Amino acid sequence: MVGLKPPEVPPTAAMKFVSAGMAGCIADLCTFPLDTAKVRLQIQGEVRIPRTISSVQYRGVLGTLSTMVRTEGARSLYRGLAAGLQRQMSFASIRIGLYDSVKQLYTPKGADNTGMAARLLAGCTTGAVAVACAQPTDVVKVRFQASGALPDSARRYSGTVDAYRTIAREEGIRGLWRGTLPNIARNAIINCGELVTYDLLKDALLRAQLMADNVPCHFVAAFGAGFCATLVASPVDVVKTRYMNASPGQY
């Protein structure tokens, strides 16, 4: 059973980078319908302001999913998946995979533990760098998810590669980085609320000896961290989605 023991040598930064990207892709495959429903709910109400009851098409998460399947087919739940996986490979790899390495850079030499300030700085740094690199994939993903509600004649992109080309041609290279600032603000909040809260929750569980340092402990800490981060970052996420999907000059 020696082969089942955890390795004594810690994983390298490259291993963390690749593992984070692959984990992000697996998570995206499982949760992409929920992300699509979130985008549809966030952009709902843009056309008619103030919004009336008759203009509301989607009601709640389950109502949105059922409406999409009924009116657009089950494939609509995964519209934009290719861009979503591209985003995870570039975004999650940097945001999560490099978090520990950047955290060590901000930790003073000789310190026994990493302080809150170093964790906050590391979270904001990896989040900002990840957004700068992955922003075009996020823009394309959001636009595909939002355009599914439009008739076929109104859809502007025939595929993921065509979306990159069309946006660059019609809106310039800056169009691919549309919404970068609100996205950086969102991810700064997400990283501070998620990664830092994850560290704190896991440390608290281990110090109180409620759980061992294993998969269930990681799951509980990740669940609590994701819940807290979503509550805090939701308003900024709405702004980010609407700005990415809007035509130039709308906001």
Side-chain angles (χ1 to χ4, degrees):
M1 301 297 289
V2 177
L4 298 179
K5 293 182 179 180
E8 296 180 1
V9 180
T12 62
M15 180 61 69
K16 292 179 182 179
F17 186 88
V18 175
S19 299
M22 294 178 63
C25 288
I26 295 173
D28 223 25
L29 286 171
C30 298
T31 62
F32 201 81
L34 295 175
D35 188 49
T36 302
K38 180 202 71 169
V39 169
R40 295 289 181 91
L41 288 168
Q42 287 176 332
I43 65 173
Q44 185 168 241
E46 281 187 315
V47 178
R48 299 182 182 181
I49 301 175
R51 186 174 58 186
T52 62
I53 299 298
S54 60
S55 67
V56 177
Q57 184 178 0
Y58 306 117
R59 297 179 183 275
V61 177
L62 295 179
T64 301
L65 294 174
S66 62
T67 300
M68 290 177 61
V69 172
R70 185 176 66 254
T71 59
E72 306 169 35
R75 293 183 61 183
S76 64
L77 299 177
Y78 285 91
R79 184 171 176 80
L81 178 61
L85 295 179
Q86 294 168 6
R87 174 182 178 273
Q88 290 296 343
M89 283 305 300
S90 55
F91 180 78
S93 299
I94 298 173
R95 185 176 73 94
I96 300 175
L98 299 184
Y99 173 72
D100 287 334
S101 299
V102 175
K103 184 173 64 175
Q104 293 302 318
L105 294 177
Y106 288 117
T107 302
K109 293 183 178 180
D112 295 333
N113 297 312
T114 303
M116 176 65 73
R119 294 175 178 180
L120 290 173
L121 287 173
C124 292
T125 300
T126 56
V129 174
V131 168
C133 296
Q135 184 68 10
T137 62
D138 206 1
V139 171
V140 172
K141 178 187 77 74
V142 167
R143 293 195 180 186
F144 267 106
Q145 289 173 317
S147 65
L150 301 174
D152 293 339
S153 59
R155 295 178 185 176
R156 295 178 290 174
Y157 315 123
S158 59
T160 305
V161 176
D162 179 63
Y164 290 120
R165 292 174 178 172
T166 303
I167 294 174
R169 183 176 65 252
E170 295 181 355
E171 305 176 34
I173 298 299
R174 293 181 60 183
L176 292 172
W177 273 266
R178 182 171 178 79
T180 299
L181 292 180
N183 205 8
I184 288 177
R186 169 190 176 271
N187 281 283
I189 297 173
I190 286 288
N191 276 2
C192 293
E194 191 175 63
L195 295 177
V196 176
T197 305
Y198 173 83
D199 270 352
L200 296 177
L201 287 175
K202 189 175 73 171
D203 290 346
L205 291 172
L206 295 178
R207 284 197 306 269
Q209 297 183 348
L210 296 175
M211 304 182 76
D213 191 0
N214 50 23
V215 173
C217 176
H218 300 169
F219 180 84
V220 172
F223 183 88
F227 182 81
C228 295
T230 300
L231 287 179
V232 176
S234 185
V236 187
D237 194 29
V238 173
V239 173
K240 184 268 299 186
T241 299
R242 290 201 176 192
Y243 195 75
M244 284 181 176
N245 187 57
S247 58
Q250 183 174 348
Y251 295 114

